[in-house]
Amino acid sequence: QKEVEQDPGPLSVPEGAIVSLNCTYSNSAFQYFMWYRQYSRKGPELLMYTYSSGNKEDGRFTAQVDKSSKYISLFIRDSQPSDSATYLCAMRVGGGFKTIFGAGTRLFVKA
Amino acid sequence: EPEVTQTPSHQVTQMGQEVILRCVPISNHLYFYWYRQILGQKVEFLVSFYNNEISEKSEIFDDQFSVERPDGSNFTLKIRSTKLEDSAMYFCASTGDSETQYFGPGTRLLVL
C-alpha cells in the first residue's frame, strides 16, 4: 500500500463549480497535512496547512482532515480558470522533516 | 514578498560529470530542504538540513549527493557523478518553523 494515495485525474469542471480533491494515507503517525498548488514547470506553492484533525478555511479554500479515516480533502468554492493547476497533498510526521507528497491531481476549470 | 531563488534554471550535463545546484533560501529561515521531481512523477524528499548538518535524508540521497551551506545565504546540492536517472526538476525549500515549507522555482537538470 502506498504511503499517500491521490487520484491523478484529470478533473475537469465548469467555472463556478465546487471542486473536491482528496488523499488517503496509511501512516497513522502523520500529523501535519498540507495542500500545494503547482503550475506547469513551477515549484509547489503552499495553499493550506493543517495540524492534526479538523477543518481550516481560507477564502475559497477549505481543508479537512479526518485522521480516523486517514483521509484529507481540499474544497475549492467558486472555482476559476486560474485555479487550473496540479494540486498536491503532502503530509509529515510530528517532529520529522521528511514531507511525503501525493502524486497530484490535475484540475482544469473551464470558462 | 520574500522568496526562495534557485540557479541555474536549467542545466544540461554529460553522464559522469559533477553538478552543483544553488539555492538562496528566505533570509530568516533556518531549515532547508532539497526535493526532486522526475517528469510526470511525484515530488520526492531528498534531504533536510538544519544547524549546518543533515537532519534527515531519504534512501535516494546516497553517497553521490551532498549538501552544503557555504555561507550565510546559499544552500547547495552537489551530485558527484551524474547518472541518466538523475534527470529531474530539483526544488529547494526553506522554512522558519519546520511546519510550512516554501519552495523555489526549481532547476531542471538533464543528464545526457
Side-chain angles (χ1 to χ4, degrees):
Chain A
Q1 184 181 12
K2 289 182 183 176
E3 209 164 10
V4 178
E5 301 224 36
Q6 183 176 11
D7 186 336
L11 179 63
S12 183
V13 301
E15 184 175 358
I18 296 174
V19 176
S20 172
L21 304 167
N22 311 293
C23 286
T24 58
Y25 63 94
S26 58
N27 187 349
S28 56
F30 285 139
Q31 288 187 286
Y32 296 94
F33 303 92
M34 288 74 72
W35 286 96
Y36 287 84
R37 177 174 60 197
Q38 186 177 27
Y39 293 111
S40 182
R41 299 179 182 269
K42 301 290 186 185
E45 172 194 5
L46 181 67
L47 281 177
M48 300 287 285
Y49 156 79
T50 309
Y51 171 72
S52 194
S53 282
N55 295 358
K56 188 172 186 178
E57 188 172 319
D58 184 2
R60 296 186 295 112
F61 298 91
T62 299
Q64 288 184 351
V65 175
D66 182 350
K67 291 193 72 179
S68 62
S69 303
K70 298 191 179 70
Y71 187 89
I72 69 170
S73 302
L74 178 71
F75 298 95
I76 307 174
R77 290 182 297 282
D78 187 25
S79 55
Q80 303 296 310
S82 57
D83 294 327
S84 298
T86 297
Y87 289 80
L88 312 172
C89 65
M91 44 201 82
R92 185 166 58 82
V93 301
F97 298 94
K98 179 179 180 180
T99 300
I100 306 297
F101 283 81
T105 299
R106 291 184 66 193
L107 172 67
F108 296 96
V109 181
K110 298 172 292 186
Chain B
E1 184 175 326
E3 57 183 17
V4 176
T5 59
Q6 290 185 243
T7 54
S9 57
H10 294 80
Q11 173 114 30
V12 181
T13 190
Q14 295 292 321
M15 190 169 58
Q17 294 297 302
E18 174 184 285
V19 295
I20 298 176
L21 309 182
R22 292 183 167 80
C23 168
V24 179
I26 294 173
S27 63
N28 61 346
H29 282 185
L30 300 175
Y31 300 83
F32 314 110
Y33 310 83
W34 284 101
Y35 292 82
R36 79 172 185 191
Q37 187 175 29
I38 295 170
L39 189 64
Q41 299 187 24
K42 63 172 63 177
V43 176
E44 299 174 291
F45 171 85
L46 291 178
V47 66
S48 60
F49 192 85
Y50 170 71
N51 200 26
N52 283 320
E53 60 183 26
I54 291 173
S55 45
E56 193 167 356
K57 61 182 181 178
S58 73
E59 57 278 3
I60 302 169
F61 194 88
D62 61 21
D63 291 344
Q64 292 299 311
F65 292 89
S66 62
V67 290
E68 192 180 29
R69 189 155 162 81
D71 54 44
S73 59
N74 290 284
F75 180 50
T76 61
L77 174 70
K78 181 193 291 186
I79 309 175
R80 268 181 265 283
S81 178
T82 50
K83 308 183 189 70
L84 296 176
E85 55 266 35
D86 293 327
S87 295
M89 193 77 157
Y90 287 81
F91 294 108
C92 173
S94 71
T95 180
D97 58 9
S98 83
E99 293 173 351
T100 54
Q101 297 178 14
Y102 296 90
F103 283 74
T107 293
R108 182 165 296 282
L109 176 65
L110 178 62
V111 182
L112 301 176

